[in-house]
Amino acid sequence: MPEGTAPAAERADSAVPTTAVVAPPGSPEPAGAPGGPAAPGLSATRSEVAFHGERSGRAPLTWGQRAIWHAIRRTAPNDHYFNIGRVLPLADRGRPATVPEALSALARLMERHESLRTRLLLSPQGGEPGQILTDAGTLSVTITRAAGLPEAAAGAEVLLGRLSATRFDYSAQWPVRVALVTVCDRVTHVVLVLCHLAADGHAAEILVRDLRLLVRRGSAGRPPATTPLDLARDQHAAAGRRRGAAALAHWEAGYRAAPPTMFPDPRAEPRSPRFWTGRIVSPALARAVGAVAAAHRVSGSTVLLTASAALVAAGEGHRTAAVMPIVGNRTTGALRDLVSTLSQDGLFVLDLADAAAPTEPSGLGDAVDSTGTAGFPEPSGLPEAAGLPEASGLAEASGLAEPSGRAEAAGGPGPVTGGREPTFTDLLPAAYRAALRGYRAAVYDPVEWDALGERLSAEYGTDVHPYCCFNDMRLVERVLPAGPPATPQELAEARRRTVFGFPATQDRVACRYCLHVTEEGDALAVSLTADTAYLPPEAIRAHLYALEELVVASAAGAPPPLTGLRTLLETAGGDRP
């Protein structure tokens, strides 16, 4: 058994049974409990669910946990921003569960996944924290009652918002909050809110799947192949540290090839609150992304990442873009079903002068995305081992040296084969390879990553950080329907259904440009949270409409020239709402 891990059978509390202890009917929800009072039209009680896992122990934080902990510290006290919420409907098919059945399933979920029984272990000397796993305890569950299914569904969404709106006490509270919504003593919905130290978006989906299986079948199958404690010990061992050092070599190469930051100069007085989120929901974009991806044999995620990078570079006058995609890091079988925070930032560096016009299909192989769930095929010609770029041929220490013969930033990329002006889709072969390198170099120690940034910032005399993030939160990409691709007229008609708005503002986010991709029905939903000192609200709107126009035009057979992207940002959206 690994050092620092104690089996439950060796402790005096090992006889605690796995039961669901339900509070007496009518017991009020304690004042100040996360989520506050019940949603309108719902009454609430609370129950304590006892659980008993197999072991306890201590370990350093995994690198994914360290990464999110550093982000939490930079964002506090607004770190509830990182909470992850899910609603599990139980009345949509099959018979709804009883309250005792749901509580018993929650107990087994706590026992199955060690991350749900793991809390932050703060260092008394103020150093890097660790994690402490507890074998046994109780979880407080809110139980609400609704008059009918419509009220239950609405109440679940209200509870989700309320439970998500409060930051966790990372060292004192379990990293999960749960509420049950019932109709006539049957559970119709389970609301889960997770601390990001315990789970990322993929892990949240694993928990929803396992909880559904535990409720319906009483079992979720074989347990995960590894645990967060074991992963932490592996990463902090000598072999893990060598892998991390190889990844950071890619980061240093990328930093030296790109401008120090994507958004160097404020352009407006910041609004209050300072950070605004714009959101576009576009059926046309969903169809267009799939069509462009299929035509160029890349993933839809690569299409969107490339589009956002190219627009940022054009808007800020850079020839080279540096974007930090969130990478799932679930490329091995042992990690596919692990509930933990594995995602970390990758580094995607794209020189717009690398646009090429192949005369035949690129032959890039299977499409990839940043979720890390499908593995990463190796295109021919890429370095082996860690899949990292060679260090030779980097720009000089300033990070701004232009190789001879390349077009200047103001003029954009030069002509491609045959004198044709390069277009957006000409970037996709190079972008695919750059994304693959970035995905493979996204597992590293954030402490060493911070040290690299500090060293380069001191060397350059300015802050070195892209402050430009991309997060494709879809677990899978929707398969294009059979048949011919959408015509330009069909895409134009679909664009009439595009909806845009500013759904949220925040006081503090540790970035200047954060693009998130999700799905909403048959549409793609793309949100951009930005620092209004660098991207005022009108620029946020322009970036999102330009992203849609760039990809839709490419799918319609008229990809915009790279030299026209700045103009596209100035005109995109027009009089559209």
Side-chain angles (χ1 to χ4, degrees), residues 231-558:
L231 177 61
R233 290 164 182 147
D234 175 70
Q235 289 179 338
H236 289 274
R241 302 207 71 82
R242 286 194 296 270
R243 292 193 298 268
L248 289 176
H250 165 80
W251 279 84
E252 180 164 0
Y255 277 158
R256 292 188 182 280
T261 186
M262 287 293 97
F263 300 94
D265 301 312
R267 63 170 67 175
E269 286 295 318
R271 302 293 184 96
S272 181
R274 179 163 180 154
F275 294 86
W276 284 40
T277 297
R279 186 171 187 262
I280 192 170
V281 180
S282 171
L285 184 59
R287 299 184 71 178
V289 165
V292 173
H296 295 273
R297 299 189 65 193
V298 298
S299 71
S301 192
T302 295
V303 173
L304 291 166
L305 173 61
T306 306
S308 64
L311 288 170
V312 166
E316 298 301 316
H318 302 306
R319 195 199 66 192
T320 302
V323 180
M324 295 165 59
I326 310 300
V327 183
N329 290 329
R330 294 179 181 269
T331 58
T332 67
L335 299 178
R336 300 266 167 87
D337 289 329
L338 177 62
V339 172
S340 186
T341 289
L342 300 179
S343 56
Q344 290 186 252
D345 293 331
L347 181 63
F348 170 79
V349 177
L350 182 64
D351 190 333
L352 271 62
D354 286 340
T359 57
E360 58 187 40
S362 57
L364 294 178
D366 296 334
V368 299
D369 60 35
S370 61
T371 63
T373 58
F376 301 132
E378 189 78 27
S380 59
L382 281 185
E384 295 298 325
L388 305 178
E390 300 293 337
S392 59
L394 296 179
E396 295 302 316
S398 67
L400 301 175
E402 299 289 337
S404 60
R406 295 286 181 86
E408 296 299 321
V416 295
T417 303
R420 179 174 64 78
E421 189 174 16
T423 67
F424 165 69
T425 54
D426 295 328
L427 286 172
L428 292 174
Y432 169 88
R433 295 187 288 270
L436 181 61
R437 290 192 292 269
Y439 299 156
R440 295 189 61 164
V443 182
Y444 50 85
D445 186 347
V447 173
E448 298 298 326
W449 181 84
D450 284 343
L452 171 64
E454 291 169 2
R455 173 166 62 83
L456 293 179
S457 296
E459 179 182 331
Y460 291 2
T462 188
D463 192 18
V464 175
H465 192 298
Y467 291 113
C468 184
C469 301
F470 175 91
N471 190 4
D472 188 342
M473 301 174 69
R474 300 171 297 163
L475 293 183
V476 295
E477 292 190 10
R478 184 175 301 175
V479 178
L480 279 176
T487 65
Q489 293 76 17
E490 289 171 335
L491 290 171
E493 182 61 31
R495 288 189 74 188
R496 298 179 186 275
R497 295 168 51 202
T498 298
V499 176
F500 173 83
F502 287 104
T505 60
Q506 296 177 77
D507 290 316
R508 186 176 180 185
V509 176
C511 197
R512 295 169 186 166
Y513 175 107
C514 299
L515 196 78
H516 290 76
V517 180
T518 58
E519 287 184 341
E520 188 170 297
D522 66 345
L524 275 184
V526 183
S527 63
L528 173 57
T529 300
D531 185 337
T532 56
Y534 296 85
L535 284 174
E538 60 271 18
I540 296 173
R541 178 182 180 275
H543 267 267
L544 290 172
Y545 272 119
L547 181 75
E548 180 194 47
E549 187 166 334
L550 177 60
V551 179
V552 169
S554 298

